[in-house]
Amino acid sequence: MSVVDFIVAKCALDAEMDDYLYVRPDFSLWQSTVQAKRIQSFGIFRKDNLRAYGRLTLAGKDGVWTAPVTGTFGGPVLARGKNIPLYALDALFLEAARWLEMEAGAKSCSIRLPPHCFPDPLSGANANALFRLGWKLDQVDVNYHLPAMSADDFHARLGATKRQETRRLKGSGAAFKVLPAQALQRVYEIISRNRAARGFPMTMSWESIAALTEAFPATIGLFGVERGLDLLAAAICLRVTSSYFYVFYWGEAPEFRREMPVLLLAEGLVAHCHENGIAVIDIGIATDRSTPNEGLIAFKTGLGFEASPKLTFRYDFVRRRE
């Protein structure tokens, strides 16, 4: 293939790519509507037959553009079974940047690439292309994940004190449960109280979470640790792909925090993934715009989760004088 084999052009969102949740057409369109953002996709096409090989979707408001529209990570995606050379990826980013500056009047654009634990065939090529084309490496966050495994294997990875706490929880009658959709408000309330007790606000309101769950019921999973009528800890999770699971929110009820029910919650989530053919569980970053949160790092590593980098590139457009 030569440089003339591909062309880049604006395109409509379609369902032919090897999409994951954050860049799926339905998710992107829904989020852009909810957030009142303008959305635009760019496609890489074979010049000889105009078949789509790749797509990048951007969304913007008040001059600030991002990929994905919203969500943990995004970027270009490939058509199923296809691949593209680096020069075609270069052309995609160049055309997107040209359009952002000349037609959209963008002030800036940020692309949050997937963490290295995510099976993205374009991961290395995206970072290389953006760097060479003058995009600034804006953030290097530390993301935590774990390959799915049995409850026994996860339990064995914990330190002696955490293993003892987990056994004590089970002995008290606490158990991991997959919760029904009707439990959403109860789950949200537990997580909200947990975050408030630690001085952190919820990044999504109850109304927003409820709307997201109603729009994508097959994607949202609710989980908890119950003992009798008490919900000790809970999680809201996203099925990003058939093999990749993301813990969106989780937390313990403050009145039960000393018992560390999140240990049993983590064990149950990892085992749930293992039992349902999911390869990786992702519990998110432990940094804030690259600045480490040492307490959060200690918590996540203490559960046996592994670190991988997550890169964000940014381009600031210089406004031309009239």
Side-chain angles (χ1 to χ4, degrees), residues 14-295:
D14 58 70
E16 296 179 359
M17 300 293 148
D18 193 12
D19 295 325
Y20 48 90
L21 175 64
Y22 305 126
V23 296
R24 250 172 40 196
D26 57 343
F27 189 80
S28 296
L29 289 169
W30 188 82
Q31 290 284 16
S32 66
T33 301
V34 167
Q35 298 189 16
K37 290 183 176 181
R38 182 180 179 185
I39 192 169
Q40 182 59 60
S41 291
F42 298 85
I44 299 175
F45 301 91
R46 279 286 302 205
K47 200 170 185 179
D48 55 359
N49 56 23
L50 295 183
R51 288 180 181 172
Y53 269 51
R55 186 189 68 231
L56 171 65
T57 300
L58 304 170
K61 185 177 183 179
D62 299 328
V64 178
W65 288 74
T66 62
V69 177
T70 188
T72 306
F73 52 81
V77 288
L78 291 171
R80 295 180 182 90
K82 304 297 184 182
N83 205 347
I84 54 174
L86 262 174
Y87 62 74
L89 196 57
D90 288 356
L92 177 67
F93 288 127
L94 286 168
E95 175 56 23
R98 186 207 65 78
W99 181 85
L100 286 167
E101 181 175 26
M102 304 302 294
E103 299 185 42
K107 299 174 184 175
S108 67
C109 183
S110 295
I111 298 180
R112 298 187 293 272
L113 297 180
H116 288 192
C117 60
F118 183 74
D120 179 10
L122 287 176
S123 177
N126 281 331
N128 175 271
L130 289 167
F131 178 78
R132 286 186 295 99
L133 295 173
W135 289 63
K136 174 187 175 184
L137 180 57
D138 189 45
Q139 293 174 226
V140 181
D141 288 299
V142 183
N143 197 81
Y144 286 84
H145 73 283
L146 196 65
M149 61 187 67
S150 69
D152 288 343
D153 287 342
F154 177 81
H155 185 76
R157 292 171 62 94
L158 298 175
T161 300
K162 288 184 173 62
R163 292 199 300 271
Q164 183 179 5
E165 291 293 340
T166 304
R167 287 193 293 268
R168 183 179 292 119
L169 277 163
K170 292 177 180 177
S172 74
F176 173 81
K177 298 288 182 65
V178 178
L179 302 177
Q182 293 78 6
L184 178 62
Q185 190 162 11
R186 191 180 180 204
V187 167
Y188 184 88
E189 189 266 341
I190 290 288
I191 295 168
S192 180
R193 287 201 295 118
N194 172 271
R195 292 177 68 89
R198 295 184 294 121
F200 300 121
M202 293 294 284
T203 55
M204 286 188 73
S205 67
W206 157 248
E207 291 78 12
S208 296
I209 285 285
L212 179 68
T213 304
E214 183 179 358
F216 300 95
T219 298
I220 311 294
L222 305 178
F223 305 87
V225 173
E226 292 184 331
R227 184 172 57 206
L229 298 178
D230 293 322
L231 183 61
L232 281 60
I236 301 172
C237 302
L238 305 178
R239 190 80 174 255
V240 180
T241 72
S242 60
S243 62
Y244 197 89
F245 194 78
Y246 180 69
V247 179
F248 182 49
Y249 279 135
W250 63 351
E252 304 160 311
E255 61 269 29
F256 297 112
R257 191 175 179 188
R258 61 181 178 79
E259 297 184 69
M260 300 177 68
V262 73
L263 294 172
L264 192 52
L265 182 61
E267 178 186 282
L269 289 171
V270 172
H272 172 82
C273 290
H274 178 69
E275 293 162 4
N276 287 274
I278 301 170
V280 176
I281 177 171
D282 180 341
I283 58 171
I285 61 174
T287 44
D288 181 8
R289 291 194 57 84
S290 306
T291 300
N293 181 325
E294 298 295 348

